[in-house]
Amino acid sequence: MGLKNSYATYGSVAKWLHWLMALCFIGAYCAVYYGIWFFPDARSPDRNFIRGIHTMFGLSVGLLVLPRLIWKVVNVEPHPDPAPNWQHLAAKYAHWGLYFFMIACPLTGWLGTGGRSVNMFWLFEIPTFRGSALFPWLVEGKLGLTFEEWEHPIDIAHKQVFGRWMAWMLILVHIAAALYHHVFEKDNTLRRMVPRAKLLQTESSSEK
Ligand code: HEM
């Protein structure tokens, strides 16, 4: 398996980025709902700790999306298995939708979080927007808003629109489509993204 994609399959870099990103989304969702469901007091130390786990997984998505997009642009796309045109179009739009949420969820989370910095797996810290020099310059200086006024609409976008509904619904559709291809169509769609999976011999899998 090469590092780069071929017309037949994804290379190891694209696969690693895909599954790492999936892991970070799972980590961000599991942490945030574990905190909300099991520690309802939003100011308790346990809830704060778990919020920190959410923000570190969430920001990792934001950090991985740039290399992922660059890698996508500089690589060829594997040719998809034969399917009706509408399915190819739906897959294309769904993938761009997922890229949108890979940017929108971390960005709105980062822009709307209080505190000074986010701990990244106890290795290094990333300043929050509020803790950065941008906040007093842009929000207080140029827009004349307090943090609470600024945070309110961004929190609605992050917590109620993107995070709570739109992103995970698209993720579910994405998983369902991959499983449909694997179980019912019995083609290479899922196999192309799985490390070391053997491709079935089809016209598109024999292309270089
Ligand atoms: C993949 C990225 C992310 C996803 C999918 C995501 C999703 C979510 C969801 C679903 C919630 C709970 C909404 C509810 O109330 O039902 C939430 C809450 C929250 N998110 Fe994110 N988020 C992401 C990244 C981030 C980042 C990067 C930050 C900050 C740096 C952040 C900060 C927060 C905070 C502070 C809360 C409130 C948690 C609490 O009340 O304990 N999120 N997010």
Side-chain angles (χ1 to χ4, degrees):
M1 180 175 64
L3 289 179
K4 293 185 83 172
N5 299 349
S6 68
Y7 288 118
T9 189
Y10 289 102
S12 52
V13 173
K15 288 181 185 176
W16 266 99
L17 285 169
H18 175 275
W19 293 109
L20 261 180
M21 190 75 109
L23 191 80
C24 291
F25 263 104
I26 294 169
Y29 270 113
C30 289
V32 82
Y33 283 117
Y34 180 71
I36 289 174
W37 291 333
F38 293 100
F39 303 101
D41 175 3
R43 287 164 189 272
S44 68
D46 288 330
R47 176 75 170 268
N48 266 337
F49 175 75
I50 288 156
R51 192 178 292 126
I53 308 278
H54 170 70
T55 55
M56 66 173 86
F57 277 116
L59 263 192
S60 305
V61 170
L63 293 180
L64 285 172
V65 68
L66 190 66
R68 194 164 174 193
L69 277 170
I70 293 174
W71 196 248
K72 182 178 172 65
V73 171
V74 300
N75 262 264
V76 296
E77 283 286 308
H79 286 162
D81 283 284
N85 230 354
W86 71 265
Q87 285 190 13
H88 290 313
L89 264 184
K92 193 170 152 187
Y93 288 123
H95 292 158
W96 282 113
L98 287 166
Y99 281 109
F100 170 79
F101 290 117
M102 288 171 208
I103 297 170
C105 290
L107 186 65
T108 50
W110 180 73
L111 287 172
T113 297
R116 303 217 63 81
S117 60
V118 175
N119 160 24
M120 296 297 285
F121 304 95
W122 296 273
L123 295 174
F124 58 97
E125 305 254 324
I126 295 183
T128 56
F129 176 62
R130 195 186 189 181
S132 76
L134 265 175
F135 175 73
W137 174 76
L138 179 72
V139 178
E140 293 176 331
K142 301 271 176 212
L143 302 174
L145 299 174
T146 62
F147 181 69
E148 286 67 31
E149 289 166 333
W150 160 260
E151 171 208 41
H152 185 65
I154 291 173
D155 257 12
I156 293 179
H158 181 74
K159 295 180 187 167
Q160 294 180 30
V161 186
F162 298 155
R164 194 181 299 174
W165 289 112
M166 295 173 71
W168 74 259
M169 284 206 170
L170 197 54
I171 293 170
L172 278 191
V173 169
H174 177 70
I175 296 171
L179 290 178
Y180 167 81
H181 274 276
H182 194 68
V183 175
F184 295 105
E185 297 290 339
K186 300 193 182 353
D187 62 21
N188 281 319
T189 306
L190 180 59
R191 285 190 169 85
R192 266 196 291 272
M193 199 38 109
V194 174
R196 280 190 257 277
K198 269 212 165 353
L199 292 185
L200 305 170
Q201 278 312 308
T202 63
E203 234 174 73
S204 49
S205 69
S206 49
E207 290 168 296
K208 287 285 165 212

PDB file of all heavy atoms in Angstrom, residues 16-36:
ATOM      1  N   TRP A  16      -5.147   7.030   7.226  1.00  0.00           N
ATOM      2  CA  TRP A  16      -4.826   7.444   8.602  1.00  0.00           C
ATOM      3  C   TRP A  16      -5.587   8.706   8.979  1.00  0.00           C
ATOM      4  O   TRP A  16      -6.157   8.808  10.061  1.00  0.00           O
ATOM      5  CB  TRP A  16      -3.315   7.698   8.746  1.00  0.00           C
ATOM      6  CG  TRP A  16      -2.605   6.471   9.240  1.00  0.00           C
ATOM      7  CD1 TRP A  16      -1.918   5.568   8.471  1.00  0.00           C
ATOM      8  CD2 TRP A  16      -2.536   6.007  10.592  1.00  0.00           C
ATOM      9  NE1 TRP A  16      -1.425   4.573   9.273  1.00  0.00           N
ATOM     10  CE2 TRP A  16      -1.788   4.815  10.579  1.00  0.00           C
ATOM     11  CE3 TRP A  16      -3.018   6.476  11.804  1.00  0.00           C
ATOM     12  CZ2 TRP A  16      -1.509   4.087  11.726  1.00  0.00           C
ATOM     13  CZ3 TRP A  16      -2.750   5.753  12.962  1.00  0.00           C
ATOM     14  CH2 TRP A  16      -2.007   4.573  12.917  1.00  0.00           C
ATOM     15  N   LEU A  17      -5.574   9.677   8.050  1.00  0.00           N
ATOM     16  CA  LEU A  17      -6.258  10.942   8.355  1.00  0.00           C
ATOM     17  C   LEU A  17      -7.758  10.689   8.537  1.00  0.00           C
ATOM     18  O   LEU A  17      -8.391  11.249   9.435  1.00  0.00           O
ATOM     19  CB  LEU A  17      -6.018  11.962   7.237  1.00  0.00           C
ATOM     20  CG  LEU A  17      -4.619  12.581   7.220  1.00  0.00           C
ATOM     21  CD1 LEU A  17      -4.386  13.372   5.937  1.00  0.00           C
ATOM     22  CD2 LEU A  17      -4.415  13.501   8.426  1.00  0.00           C
ATOM     23  N   HIS A  18      -8.339   9.826   7.711  1.00  0.00           N
ATOM     24  CA  HIS A  18      -9.769   9.534   7.807  1.00  0.00           C
ATOM     25  C   HIS A  18     -10.117   8.921   9.158  1.00  0.00           C
ATOM     26  O   HIS A  18     -11.016   9.365   9.859  1.00  0.00           O
ATOM     27  CB  HIS A  18     -10.174   8.588   6.673  1.00  0.00           C
ATOM     28  CG  HIS A  18     -11.602   8.144   6.750  1.00  0.00           C
ATOM     29  ND1 HIS A  18     -11.999   7.066   7.512  1.00  0.00           N
ATOM     30  CD2 HIS A  18     -12.729   8.641   6.200  1.00  0.00           C
ATOM     31  CE1 HIS A  18     -13.320   6.915   7.406  1.00  0.00           C
ATOM     32  NE2 HIS A  18     -13.794   7.857   6.623  1.00  0.00           N
ATOM     33  N   TRP A  19      -9.368   7.883   9.569  1.00  0.00           N
ATOM     34  CA  TRP A  19      -9.735   7.170  10.805  1.00  0.00           C
ATOM     35  C   TRP A  19      -9.353   7.952  12.056  1.00  0.00           C
ATOM     36  O   TRP A  19     -10.034   7.860  13.082  1.00  0.00           O
ATOM     37  CB  TRP A  19      -9.159   5.749  10.801  1.00  0.00           C
ATOM     38  CG  TRP A  19      -9.822   4.919   9.744  1.00  0.00           C
ATOM     39  CD1 TRP A  19      -9.278   4.483   8.573  1.00  0.00           C
ATOM     40  CD2 TRP A  19     -11.192   4.478   9.711  1.00  0.00           C
ATOM     41  NE1 TRP A  19     -10.203   3.804   7.819  1.00  0.00           N
ATOM     42  CE2 TRP A  19     -11.390   3.777   8.494  1.00  0.00           C
ATOM     43  CE3 TRP A  19     -12.282   4.611  10.576  1.00  0.00           C
ATOM     44  CZ2 TRP A  19     -12.623   3.216   8.145  1.00  0.00           C
ATOM     45  CZ3 TRP A  19     -13.505   4.040  10.220  1.00  0.00           C
ATOM     46  CH2 TRP A  19     -13.666   3.358   9.024  1.00  0.00           C
ATOM     47  N   LEU A  20      -8.269   8.747  11.957  1.00  0.00           N
ATOM     48  CA  LEU A  20      -7.933   9.617  13.106  1.00  0.00           C
ATOM     49  C   LEU A  20      -9.028  10.649  13.325  1.00  0.00           C
ATOM     50  O   LEU A  20      -9.436  10.932  14.455  1.00  0.00           O
ATOM     51  CB  LEU A  20      -6.629  10.370  12.819  1.00  0.00           C
ATOM     52  CG  LEU A  20      -5.353   9.824  13.422  1.00  0.00           C
ATOM     53  CD1 LEU A  20      -4.179  10.718  13.029  1.00  0.00           C
ATOM     54  CD2 LEU A  20      -5.462   9.743  14.945  1.00  0.00           C
ATOM     55  N   MET A  21      -9.499  11.204  12.213  1.00  0.00           N
ATOM     56  CA  MET A  21     -10.567  12.199  12.283  1.00  0.00           C
ATOM     57  C   MET A  21     -11.830  11.575  12.872  1.00  0.00           C
ATOM     58  O   MET A  21     -12.500  12.171  13.710  1.00  0.00           O
ATOM     59  CB  MET A  21     -10.821  12.692  10.861  1.00  0.00           C
ATOM     60  CG  MET A  21     -11.686  13.851  10.747  1.00  0.00           C
ATOM     61  SD  MET A  21     -10.766  15.287  11.253  1.00  0.00           S
ATOM     62  CE  MET A  21     -10.522  16.110   9.723  1.00  0.00           C
ATOM     63  N   ALA A  22     -12.139  10.343  12.431  1.00  0.00           N
ATOM     64  CA  ALA A  22     -13.330   9.646  12.946  1.00  0.00           C
ATOM     65  C   ALA A  22     -13.185   9.466  14.467  1.00  0.00           C
ATOM     66  O   ALA A  22     -14.120   9.721  15.241  1.00  0.00           O
ATOM     67  CB  ALA A  22     -13.486   8.292  12.254  1.00  0.00           C
ATOM     68  N   LEU A  23     -11.986   9.063  14.889  1.00  0.00           N
ATOM     69  CA  LEU A  23     -11.742   8.859  16.324  1.00  0.00           C
ATOM     70  C   LEU A  23     -11.932  10.166  17.108  1.00  0.00           C
ATOM     71  O   LEU A  23     -12.518  10.166  18.199  1.00  0.00           O
ATOM     72  CB  LEU A  23     -10.302   8.352  16.489  1.00  0.00           C
ATOM     73  CG  LEU A  23      -9.937   7.851  17.858  1.00  0.00           C
ATOM     74  CD1 LEU A  23     -10.478   6.432  18.022  1.00  0.00           C
ATOM     75  CD2 LEU A  23      -8.414   7.835  18.037  1.00  0.00           C
ATOM     76  N   CYS A  24     -11.455  11.252  16.544  1.00  0.00           N
ATOM     77  CA  CYS A  24     -11.584  12.552  17.241  1.00  0.00           C
ATOM     78  C   CYS A  24     -13.052  12.975  17.329  1.00  0.00           C
ATOM     79  O   CYS A  24     -13.488  13.525  18.346  1.00  0.00           O
ATOM     80  CB  CYS A  24     -10.773  13.629  16.525  1.00  0.00           C
ATOM     81  SG  CYS A  24      -9.025  13.361  16.672  1.00  0.00           S
ATOM     82  N   PHE A  25     -13.830  12.727  16.272  1.00  0.00           N
ATOM     83  CA  PHE A  25     -15.264  13.046  16.334  1.00  0.00           C
ATOM     84  C   PHE A  25     -15.934  12.194  17.417  1.00  0.00           C
ATOM     85  O   PHE A  25     -16.713  12.702  18.223  1.00  0.00           O
ATOM     86  CB  PHE A  25     -15.952  12.785  14.984  1.00  0.00           C
ATOM     87  CG  PHE A  25     -16.096  14.020  14.145  1.00  0.00           C
ATOM     88  CD1 PHE A  25     -15.277  14.247  13.058  1.00  0.00           C
ATOM     89  CD2 PHE A  25     -17.068  14.971  14.441  1.00  0.00           C
ATOM     90  CE1 PHE A  25     -15.410  15.401  12.272  1.00  0.00           C
ATOM     91  CE2 PHE A  25     -17.218  16.118  13.673  1.00  0.00           C
ATOM     92  CZ  PHE A  25     -16.381  16.332  12.588  1.00  0.00           C
ATOM     93  N   ILE A  26     -15.607  10.898  17.446  1.00  0.00           N
ATOM     94  CA  ILE A  26     -16.214  10.012  18.449  1.00  0.00           C
ATOM     95  C   ILE A  26     -15.815  10.492  19.848  1.00  0.00           C
ATOM     96  O   ILE A  26     -16.650  10.606  20.748  1.00  0.00           O
ATOM     97  CB  ILE A  26     -15.768   8.543  18.227  1.00  0.00           C
ATOM     98  CG1 ILE A  26     -16.334   8.027  16.914  1.00  0.00           C
ATOM     99  CG2 ILE A  26     -16.215   7.649  19.381  1.00  0.00           C
ATOM    100  CD1 ILE A  26     -15.756   6.687  16.469  1.00  0.00           C
ATOM    101  N   GLY A  27     -14.531  10.821  20.020  1.00  0.00           N
ATOM    102  CA  GLY A  27     -14.051  11.303  21.316  1.00  0.00           C
ATOM    103  C   GLY A  27     -14.787  12.569  21.736  1.00  0.00           C
ATOM    104  O   GLY A  27     -15.237  12.695  22.884  1.00  0.00           O
ATOM    105  N   ALA A  28     -14.943  13.513  20.805  1.00  0.00           N
ATOM    106  CA  ALA A  28     -15.588  14.793  21.131  1.00  0.00           C
ATOM    107  C   ALA A  28     -17.051  14.555  21.521  1.00  0.00           C
ATOM    108  O   ALA A  28     -17.540  15.109  22.513  1.00  0.00           O
ATOM    109  CB  ALA A  28     -15.493  15.751  19.944  1.00  0.00           C
ATOM    110  N   TYR A  29     -17.759  13.713  20.759  1.00  0.00           N
ATOM    111  CA  TYR A  29     -19.176  13.463  21.062  1.00  0.00           C
ATOM    112  C   TYR A  29     -19.340  12.678  22.363  1.00  0.00           C
ATOM    113  O   TYR A  29     -20.184  13.023  23.193  1.00  0.00           O
ATOM    114  CB  TYR A  29     -19.863  12.720  19.904  1.00  0.00           C
ATOM    115  CG  TYR A  29     -20.451  13.668  18.889  1.00  0.00           C
ATOM    116  CD1 TYR A  29     -19.942  13.767  17.604  1.00  0.00           C
ATOM    117  CD2 TYR A  29     -21.530  14.482  19.225  1.00  0.00           C
ATOM    118  CE1 TYR A  29     -20.482  14.658  16.689  1.00  0.00           C
ATOM    119  CE2 TYR A  29     -22.069  15.367  18.316  1.00  0.00           C
ATOM    120  CZ  TYR A  29     -21.552  15.454  17.039  1.00  0.00           C
ATOM    121  OH  TYR A  29     -22.082  16.333  16.145  1.00  0.00           O
ATOM    122  N   CYS A  30     -18.553  11.601  22.524  1.00  0.00           N
ATOM    123  CA  CYS A  30     -18.710  10.788  23.751  1.00  0.00           C
ATOM    124  C   CYS A  30     -18.428  11.657  24.969  1.00  0.00           C
ATOM    125  O   CYS A  30     -19.171  11.623  25.959  1.00  0.00           O
ATOM    126  CB  CYS A  30     -17.759   9.595  23.745  1.00  0.00           C
ATOM    127  SG  CYS A  30     -18.245   8.359  22.559  1.00  0.00           S
ATOM    128  N   ALA A  31     -17.347  12.451  24.912  1.00  0.00           N
ATOM    129  CA  ALA A  31     -16.972  13.249  26.090  1.00  0.00           C
ATOM    130  C   ALA A  31     -18.066  14.253  26.410  1.00  0.00           C
ATOM    131  O   ALA A  31     -18.496  14.359  27.566  1.00  0.00           O
ATOM    132  CB  ALA A  31     -15.642  13.954  25.844  1.00  0.00           C
ATOM    133  N   VAL A  32     -18.553  14.983  25.404  1.00  0.00           N
ATOM    134  CA  VAL A  32     -19.475  16.070  25.725  1.00  0.00           C
ATOM    135  C   VAL A  32     -20.787  15.519  26.283  1.00  0.00           C
ATOM    136  O   VAL A  32     -21.325  16.043  27.261  1.00  0.00           O
ATOM    137  CB  VAL A  32     -19.680  17.030  24.528  1.00  0.00           C
ATOM    138  CG1 VAL A  32     -20.697  16.524  23.525  1.00  0.00           C
ATOM    139  CG2 VAL A  32     -20.093  18.411  25.028  1.00  0.00           C
ATOM    140  N   TYR A  33     -21.290  14.419  25.720  1.00  0.00           N
ATOM    141  CA  TYR A  33     -22.567  13.911  26.241  1.00  0.00           C
ATOM    142  C   TYR A  33     -22.386  13.153  27.558  1.00  0.00           C
ATOM    143  O   TYR A  33     -23.286  13.169  28.400  1.00  0.00           O
ATOM    144  CB  TYR A  33     -23.323  13.106  25.175  1.00  0.00           C
ATOM    145  CG  TYR A  33     -23.960  14.082  24.195  1.00  0.00           C
ATOM    146  CD1 TYR A  33     -23.606  14.103  22.858  1.00  0.00           C
ATOM    147  CD2 TYR A  33     -24.864  15.040  24.652  1.00  0.00           C
ATOM    148  CE1 TYR A  33     -24.154  15.054  21.997  1.00  0.00           C
ATOM    149  CE2 TYR A  33     -25.409  15.987  23.796  1.00  0.00           C
ATOM    150  CZ  TYR A  33     -25.058  15.983  22.475  1.00  0.00           C
ATOM    151  OH  TYR A  33     -25.590  16.924  21.639  1.00  0.00           O
ATOM    152  N   TYR A  34     -21.219  12.543  27.756  1.00  0.00           N
ATOM    153  CA  TYR A  34     -20.939  11.942  29.073  1.00  0.00           C
ATOM    154  C   TYR A  34     -21.002  13.030  30.139  1.00  0.00           C
ATOM    155  O   TYR A  34     -21.632  12.863  31.192  1.00  0.00           O
ATOM    156  CB  TYR A  34     -19.553  11.273  29.037  1.00  0.00           C
ATOM    157  CG  TYR A  34     -19.156  10.633  30.336  1.00  0.00           C
ATOM    158  CD1 TYR A  34     -19.787   9.464  30.763  1.00  0.00           C
ATOM    159  CD2 TYR A  34     -18.151  11.174  31.133  1.00  0.00           C
ATOM    160  CE1 TYR A  34     -19.420   8.869  31.970  1.00  0.00           C
ATOM    161  CE2 TYR A  34     -17.782  10.583  32.325  1.00  0.00           C
ATOM    162  CZ  TYR A  34     -18.425   9.435  32.739  1.00  0.00           C
ATOM    163  OH  TYR A  34     -18.067   8.853  33.924  1.00  0.00           O
ATOM    164  N   GLY A  35     -20.388  14.178  29.833  1.00  0.00           N
ATOM    165  CA  GLY A  35     -20.392  15.300  30.785  1.00  0.00           C
ATOM    166  C   GLY A  35     -21.808  15.824  31.025  1.00  0.00           C
ATOM    167  O   GLY A  35     -22.236  15.993  32.175  1.00  0.00           O
ATOM    168  N   ILE A  36     -22.543  16.045  29.950  1.00  0.00           N
ATOM    169  CA  ILE A  36     -23.886  16.642  30.073  1.00  0.00           C
ATOM    170  C   ILE A  36     -24.835  15.677  30.820  1.00  0.00           C
ATOM    171  O   ILE A  36     -25.608  16.084  31.679  1.00  0.00           O
ATOM    172  CB  ILE A  36     -24.429  17.013  28.671  1.00  0.00           C
ATOM    173  CG1 ILE A  36     -23.647  18.211  28.114  1.00  0.00           C
ATOM    174  CG2 ILE A  36     -25.924  17.328  28.712  1.00  0.00           C
ATOM    175  CD1 ILE A  36     -23.975  18.588  26.675  1.00  0.00           C
TER     176      ILE A  36
END
